Amino acid sequence: MSLKIYTNRCKGCGICAAFCPKKVLAVNELEKIEAVAPENCIQCGQCELRCPDYAIFVHKEGDEK
């Protein structure tokens, strides 16, 4: 699994963190999103789906993209 976060696009709204069922994401002191527990990610894609700024992408195992 690969979680790609484009911090230059992130405005720190926290929507992705709010929808993460495993609490993988959190807004840091710089008001940007970061993966605080990437080992807990279940690749549900809620963060990617909910991000209004297209700042986060989930590449599932076996994806060739």
Side-chain angles (χ1 to χ4, degrees):
M1 191 276 307
S2 174
L3 191 62
K4 179 66 177 167
I5 300 170
Y6 293 93
T7 55
N8 60 324
R9 296 181 186 174
C10 179
K11 64 181 173 203
C13 67
I15 293 172
C16 58
F19 280 93
C20 181
K22 296 297 183 176
K23 305 301 178 205
V24 172
L25 303 168
V27 178
N28 65 19
E29 63 278 353
L30 299 175
E31 297 184 2
K32 301 291 183 177
I33 204 69
E34 69 175 297
V36 293
E39 66 278 0
N40 295 338
C41 182
I42 59 171
Q43 303 173 9
C44 67
Q46 287 298 310
C47 56
E48 182 176 352
L49 179 67
R50 305 292 179 166
C51 179
D53 299 311
Y54 304 101
I56 189 164
F57 296 91
V58 177
H59 296 285
K60 298 180 181 179
E61 292 176 19
D63 262 357
E64 295 182 17
K65 295 180 184 177

